[in-house]
Amino acid sequence: MASRYVRLLGVQLRSASLLALQYRGDFLVEGVISAFWTLTAMVPLFVVYGERQAIAGWSFAEALLVVGWFTLLQGILEGAITPSLNSVVEHIRKGTLDFVLLKPADAQFLVSTTGFEPWRATNVLTGIAIFVYAFHLLGRGPSIPGLFASLVLLVTSTLLLYSMWILTVSAAFFVVKVDNLTYFFQSIFDAARWPSAVFKGPLAFVFTFIIPLALMTTFPAEAMLGRLSLRALVTAVVGSLAFAFISRRVWLRSIGHYTSASS
């Protein structure tokens, strides 16, 4: 069963890549624009650290690691998660989700793998370049255990992002127009470019437990710096699995409220 879904994912990825490469000029332009906006988004960090050595215990080089993780995850979000799940809202509006539900495969898997934007890979490469620059400023490299922990957190962060989008899209089964909700989610995600220690009071609680932005970017950065505890790593893994379980249950329940075009 698992090999069948892996082959199906490979077909979807190959189809999206061929479609994108069909217009190579557009592919290159989109990649350049994506890299440009990524670098532009770093301007606030240079401005804030212009007259300060550290903010909330984070030096400029350490904060760059958080920005690197934000950039990398933004590439995954906008290249692999958002293109597919945005189409779910249109399917629900038009009542055409039937064509997906009737196929002999899991509906959540199908709606999650229908669209990819390969040029967003530039965000991933830019994120890696930021890591290299940050460690150059620090004058050292990441530890081997820290690197391993950060790879684990890359998986948990991607799972968290995906689960949160499934929860957001599931709202479309009850409230058809969720454009503003998805825009709100993307705006909230922008806060993940800053270390979680910057936020105080209610915002710190929200960004750690309700919308776990800290687990997505600050925890991996701390792991690379070798100062993330084993307890925090386990919490991130358990938390991401809990989010995935909840989002799966919400999706299945939401499907039950779907009214097709033929109803």
Side-chain angles (χ1 to χ4, degrees), residues 2 4 46 52 56 63 68 79 87 90 97 110 129 138 148-149 156 168 189 196-197 204 212 238 244 246:
R4 177 188 171 202
F46 285 95
R52 298 178 178 86
S87 66
E90 286 302 310
L97 195 62
L110 290 175
L138 289 169
F148 176 76
T156 62
T168 303
F189 180 64
S196 60
V238 173
I246 293 171

Side-chain angles (χ1 to χ4, degrees), residues 23-40:
Y23 305 99
R24 295 183 182 180
D26 291 352
F27 180 86
L28 292 175
V29 170
E30 291 284 358
V32 171
I33 291 176
S34 178
F36 171 77
W37 283 116
T38 299
L39 295 175
T40 303

